[in-house]
């Protein structure tokens, strides 16, 4: 059975693609983007636990 680890990170308005590309290169897969409690976007990512 696959087990997962998760990452929750803010996405800056001026560089969201760079942040997602950086985490994607580390093996993270984007699950969702939501509006944070104080505004702005927050990304939820997952990857298999090693």
């Amino acid at each position: 059975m696959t087990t997962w680890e998760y990452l929750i990170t803010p996405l800056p308005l001026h560089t969201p693609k760079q942040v997602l590309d950086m985490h994607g290169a580390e093996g993270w897969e984007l699950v969702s983007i939501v509006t944070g409690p104080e505004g702005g976007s927050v990304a939820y990512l997952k990857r298999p636990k090693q």
Side-chain angles (χ1 to χ4, degrees), residues 7-11 20 30 32-34 41-45:
L7 173 69
I8 302 169
T9 185
L11 291 177
L20 293 174
L30 180 64
S32 181
I33 297 176
V34 300
S41 296
V42 177
Y44 290 79
L45 302 103

Side-chain angles (χ1 to χ4, degrees), residues 2-50:
T2 303
T3 57
W4 302 94
E5 61 180 330
Y6 298 92
L7 173 69
I8 302 169
T9 185
L11 291 177
L13 290 175
H14 58 285
T15 59
K17 182 182 182 317
Q18 290 173 318
V19 171
L20 293 174
D21 284 346
M22 176 186 69
H23 291 305
E26 297 171 348
W28 293 100
E29 178 181 353
L30 180 64
V31 175
S32 181
I33 297 176
V34 300
T35 301
E38 297 175 10
S41 296
V42 177
Y44 290 79
L45 302 103
K46 69 176 185 176
R47 70 178 174 190
K49 230 178 203 181
Q50 297 182 9

